[in-house]
Amino acid sequence: MTRAPAPASVSPGHGGLDGTTARRRYVTVSFLFWLPIGMSIATGVLLFTERGMGLAAIAGFYAVHSLTAAAMELPTGGLSDVIGRRPVLAIAGLLNLTAFTLIGLGAAGWAIALGMGLMGFARALSSGPAEAWYVDTVHAHAGPDADLRTGLARGSSATSAALALGTLLGGGLPWLLGFAPGVGEWLAGATGGLVIPLSVPALLGALVEGVFVLYVLSALPEPTRPRTTLRRVVGGVPAAVAAGLRLGARDALIRRVLLTASAAGAALAAVELLTPGRAAALMGAAESGALVFAGLACAGFLASAFGSQLAPLVARFTGSGERAVLASLGLVTLGLALLGLTTHTTSPLATTVAVTGYGLVYLGLGAAGPNENDLLHRRVDASGRATALSVQSLSLQLVAAGAGLGAGALPPGPLPWLLAATAVLAGALLWVRRAAPANAPATPGAARSPVVAPVPAGPPLDTAPQEAHPHARPT
């Protein structure tokens, strides 16, 4: 039997890593990148409030993050194919290190806004290279037909676990520091008011980002890439953007993946915007509600991690990755419906049903993600992978932003939840029918190859895969 050749765009030079080692390093990178972001979830709004910022200003800070990430998704989507996966990840880590330092120490609005903008830029840079490195390394070692779903599932699980642990650490550290008499006053006095207990998680996150950068530089070998210039990189950006926008039009399956990401964005916008208020209403106070929400968010991330681990099993049980996505999105729809039907009461039964619905949302999203990306990676090669995933992430971010504004404008009650459930149901129905298979070669008996999304001629642009973790939005 003739061994399948590695893709032409992936040359030997991954340090001789086998699939198991590559998977382990990919999981580690995913965990280290998302742990600091998880630490910022529980304390972000409270920290900005403590710095004297109003709700309008805080909403503006998060808008800066989201808009920066969305604006830079496609322009940076092709960068790692030009200068390498490792340098782009290291740059993302350095940007996050700077962002968390500004957020932890910044007392002025401009410093916080700059930090949030840098974090959004880092999010756009980091959304593909790690997954691209893993897929390229596995393909170089075992060929294009190697199993990807297991590694993608474990990477997604590591992301969710990092967010869960980070949420607990970020919410717990200021609370623990409050037990030590005078610690908060000592921190503020020794630093001129720059460091307070609520800023400790962000500063600790900056230290973790330093570890992330060192690990990326030492543990992710990759082939030497042709020398290029800044002019060639910048000049190729419009071609990469155009190629990304054409992906959905050229392949029905990729179009389904992009529309499914949009539906996931609508679901997450409803959950992230409406759940904190429900937690506060349940507990009767904002402070205790915030603590409950931190615990609930942690449970949601763990459910997402569990769902990602179940992704290969769901695909085997349902018979295909496409049916697995359909079943997973069905769970998300059910969860949103349960949350919508329990909005008008806080009885123990209704609360139990709502918590169950919350868990189903994240469980379903976790199970759907690896199966969607496995299908996506089999439709594009290394030269189009990051662009495809950049478009996927862009679809999620833009729809989430719009859906969040819409949900906030609707009257409180079941309507926002049910509209989100309808959007996810529409995304699920896209997978009822099987997508057309990849085009078979014209020569009889020729080996079947995956469809490659064409990229316009010109300088190579980073089209490596973009890690799409819809449950990991830092808002």
Side-chain angles (χ1 to χ4, degrees):
M1 180 179 293
T2 302
R3 182 177 179 181
S9 57
V10 181
S11 60
H14 291 86
L17 299 181
D18 57 27
T20 302
T21 303
R23 183 168 62 235
R24 182 171 62 250
R25 295 187 181 186
Y26 169 53
V27 166
T28 303
V29 166
S30 300
F31 184 88
L32 288 176
F33 182 82
W34 289 102
L35 179 64
I37 295 175
M39 295 172 66
S40 69
I41 290 176
T43 57
V45 174
L46 295 175
L47 172 61
F48 301 152
T49 302
E50 190 71 15
R51 299 292 196 193
M53 307 298 166
L55 287 178
I58 295 172
F61 297 149
Y62 283 108
V64 168
H65 172 276
S66 297
L67 293 177
T68 303
M72 298 307 297
E73 282 288 4
L74 289 180
T76 62
L79 188 60
S80 75
D81 277 343
V82 178
I83 67 175
R85 323 302 195 198
R86 179 171 55 185
V88 171
L89 280 173
I91 293 170
L94 291 174
L95 288 175
N96 262 347
L97 188 156
T98 306
F100 283 118
T101 302
L102 286 171
I103 291 171
L105 299 178
W110 69 265
I112 298 173
L114 177 59
M116 295 296 283
L118 290 176
M119 192 183 299
F121 196 0
R123 176 68 183 91
L125 283 173
S126 68
S127 57
E131 189 173 325
W133 177 87
Y134 169 69
V135 175
D136 290 347
T137 303
V138 172
H139 280 174
H141 178 263
D145 293 327
D147 172 65
L148 299 175
R149 189 181 287 114
T150 300
L152 295 176
R154 293 187 181 179
S156 183
S157 294
T159 294
S160 299
L163 289 165
L165 178 61
T167 301
L168 288 180
L169 289 175
L173 281 174
W175 181 71
L176 289 174
L177 290 174
F179 277 107
V183 170
E185 291 79 1
W186 177 81
L187 284 174
T191 59
L194 293 178
V195 179
I196 59 177
L198 285 172
S199 64
V200 170
L203 298 177
L204 183 58
L207 294 178
V208 176
E209 290 292 350
V211 175
F212 167 82
V213 172
L214 294 176
Y215 186 82
V216 164
L217 294 176
S218 62
L220 303 187
E222 59 179 343
T224 302
R225 297 177 184 274
R227 296 178 63 86
T228 189
T229 63
L230 179 62
R231 181 178 179 180
R232 291 187 67 203
V233 173
V234 174
V237 166
V241 172
L245 296 177
R246 286 196 298 267
L247 281 173
R250 295 190 176 206
D251 190 295
L253 189 143
I254 294 178
R255 186 161 58 249
R256 291 185 186 186
V257 171
L258 299 181
L259 291 173
T260 302
S262 299
L268 287 165
V271 170
E272 293 170 356
L273 180 69
L274 303 175
T275 304
R278 291 185 63 169
L282 176 66
M283 301 304 296
E287 294 78 6
S288 55
L291 183 61
V292 169
F293 176 67
L296 190 60
C298 176
F301 293 137
L302 291 177
S304 181
F306 183 60
S308 297
Q309 288 291 90
L310 290 178
L313 179 61
V314 175
R316 288 195 297 269
F317 180 77
T318 58
S320 71
E322 295 179 31
R323 292 177 182 174
V325 175
L326 172 61
S328 301
L329 294 180
L331 281 182
V332 179
T333 303
L334 175 60
L336 290 169
L338 293 178
L339 284 164
L341 295 174
T342 55
T343 53
H344 289 312
T345 177
T346 57
S347 68
L349 177 59
T351 300
T352 302
V353 172
V355 170
T356 301
Y358 185 91
L360 289 177
V361 169
Y362 281 93
L363 181 68
L365 290 175
N371 285 303
E372 291 173 35
N373 281 21
D374 178 73
L375 293 167
L376 183 64
H377 289 312
R378 297 185 186 280
R379 289 293 208 191
V380 296
D381 69 358
S383 68
R385 192 167 289 130
T387 297
L389 289 170
S390 291
V391 177
Q392 182 188 26
S393 179
L394 180 62
S395 300
L396 185 147
Q397 294 282 355
L398 289 180
V399 173
L405 293 174
L410 291 172
L415 183 58
W417 296 101
L418 297 181
L419 288 177
T422 302
V424 176
L425 178 60
L429 293 178
L430 295 173
W431 300 92
V432 171
R433 296 181 60 185
R434 297 287 296 273
N439 293 332
T443 303
R448 185 178 297 271
S449 61
V451 171
V452 177
V455 177
L461 261 242
D462 175 28
T463 40
Q466 167 139 5
E467 295 174 81
H469 296 293
H471 53 277
R473 299 198 315 131
T475 54

